[in-house]
Amino acid sequence: MHVTKPVGRVAAVKKYDILSALMAHGLAGEPGLQRLVFRLMSLITTRYNWQRNELVTGQREIARLWCVDERTVKRDMARLRGLGWVVVKRQGARGRVSVLGLDLERILTDTRPSWPNIGEDYVLRMSQDVKTAPAAGNVVPFRRTETPVAGGGPDLWGRVCAQLLAEDPSSFDAWFKALVEVGQGEGVLHLAAPSRFHANYLRMHLLGRLQSALTRVDPTMHGIHIDAP
């Protein structure tokens, strides 16, 4: 999927279209998702730089905007990263906050089933602006239909998948479902990711969750290694 950047004379319309997609997706979901989407939309409308695709604000400021504590901010921002909607462009250091960005292609892919709730004119307009492109380079082929859900299978990775799916279906579908077991040895489970970007993201942000699920399924296993193409 390729998304035309919301810049130029039609920038305002495209921005509203993206926010509308999020709104429709949230309203069609359960209360927890509605709250998460509303909080993301508040950050987009108050702090997001559309031209540079940057969101630069600290957890304390976000907590004040959301009227919650910083622990809630950490939890919900982790959920947004797990969905792939928010990405870390530059990690914070020495008192500087992290520079975040939005994966608009991922957001529009996930919200597409809710577009008809807005109207046929919206679906037609968005279908013209958003076109499918072949995966290349470091684009992650999310929701690959040829990859079966391994949950409940007799193999180790199948049982780990069942654990991950039960804990967080959205993160499972976005990040774990495409992984393939390639072997085991000396207490380490070896998995293959569909792209280098996918593997790097898992190593940086979700390796702890993978290892925790693995340990719960088989306490004799103590590590996970993720290979990239």
Side-chain angles (χ1 to χ4, degrees):
M1 176 179 286
H2 174 71
V3 180
T4 305
K5 291 185 178 180
V7 295
R9 290 184 302 172
V10 296
V13 175
K14 294 186 182 300
K15 292 174 184 177
Y16 277 116
D17 281 344
I18 292 170
L19 289 171
S20 296
L22 278 168
M23 174 194 65
H25 182 68
L27 291 174
E30 44 84 23
L33 177 63
Q34 291 180 6
R35 183 168 56 249
L36 184 68
V37 170
F38 181 75
R39 287 172 176 171
L40 175 60
M41 291 177 66
S42 72
L43 288 178
I44 294 175
T45 55
T46 61
R47 295 297 182 186
Y48 180 58
N49 185 317
W50 289 92
Q51 288 187 329
R52 299 177 63 179
N53 185 23
E54 289 186 354
L55 176 63
V56 186
T57 185
Q59 291 182 354
R60 183 177 302 175
E61 290 73 22
I62 297 176
R64 183 171 60 244
L65 174 65
W66 290 356
C67 299
V68 298
D69 55 33
E70 292 186 40
R71 183 165 55 182
T72 300
V73 172
K74 292 181 180 179
R75 182 196 66 207
D76 279 5
M77 292 304 290
R79 287 184 63 192
L80 290 170
R81 291 194 301 271
L83 289 169
W85 294 1
V86 173
V87 296
V88 179
K89 299 181 65 176
R90 187 166 64 251
Q91 193 68 45
R94 295 183 179 178
R96 295 183 179 181
V97 301
S98 298
V99 178
L100 306 176
L102 298 182
D103 188 336
L104 298 179
E105 293 185 4
R106 177 65 185 173
I107 289 173
L108 291 177
T109 296
D110 287 351
T111 59
R112 192 163 193 159
S114 300
W115 294 359
N117 295 345
I118 300 175
E120 294 182 2
D121 58 327
Y122 178 87
V123 175
L124 178 61
R125 182 171 69 251
M126 293 297 288
S127 298
Q128 292 172 344
D129 289 342
V130 180
K131 55 186 179 181
T132 302
N138 63 349
V139 178
V140 181
F142 294 108
R143 301 181 186 274
R144 304 191 313 176
T145 55
E146 71 275 14
T147 304
V149 177
D155 59 299
L156 176 61
W157 175 235
R159 287 179 283 141
V160 174
C161 282
Q163 181 74 36
L164 293 167
L165 179 61
E167 291 176 352
D168 190 340
S170 297
S171 292
F172 175 81
D173 193 50
W175 295 105
F176 304 132
K177 182 179 178 179
L179 295 175
V180 177
E181 180 180 347
V182 294
Q184 303 174 32
E186 299 182 352
V188 177
L189 175 65
H190 293 264
L191 303 172
S195 72
R196 184 173 300 177
F197 171 80
H198 199 128
N200 288 338
Y201 187 93
L202 287 167
R203 293 177 190 134
M204 291 178 60
H205 303 287
L206 297 172
L207 188 58
R209 190 183 302 181
L210 277 169
Q211 291 179 336
S212 176
L214 174 64
T215 302
R216 286 197 294 274
V217 169
D218 187 344
T220 66
M221 302 294 289
H222 57 77
I224 289 181
H225 182 79
I226 301 174
D227 297 317

